[in-house]
Amino acid sequence: MPYSMIALLVALALAGQFVFAQDASVRAKALVSAVFITSVLLPLGFPQWQLAGLLLQVMLVIGLVIYRKFHA
């Protein structure tokens, strides 16, 4: 199983959970959604940017895990 698929699935799960959270602001939800969509569409439009999309997903996951740790 490719490791990029793991990052994609974890980012999808955490971003979806964040978007449906009650205590998050609308602006933060829009930012997380935009970052996730960008990280998915970037490698599709520009294949040479595949690593950048993966790193964006990893940074998103780290940020959302930290958010969850302090707001749970």
Side-chain angles (χ1 to χ4, degrees), residues 6-67:
I6 295 171
L8 176 66
L9 293 176
V10 172
L12 177 64
L14 288 177
Q17 196 174 44
F18 183 81
V19 168
F20 291 115
Q22 296 291 334
D23 58 340
S25 68
V26 175
R27 194 175 284 178
K29 291 177 182 183
L31 179 68
V32 167
S33 299
V35 169
F36 178 73
I37 290 171
T38 301
S39 72
V40 171
L41 294 180
L42 191 66
L44 294 176
F46 304 100
Q48 68 271 20
W49 286 76
Q50 187 172 8
L51 180 61
L54 177 64
L55 291 177
L56 198 58
Q57 288 173 359
V58 169
M59 289 189 320
L60 181 65
V61 166
I62 290 171
L64 290 175
V65 166
I66 291 171
Y67 174 82

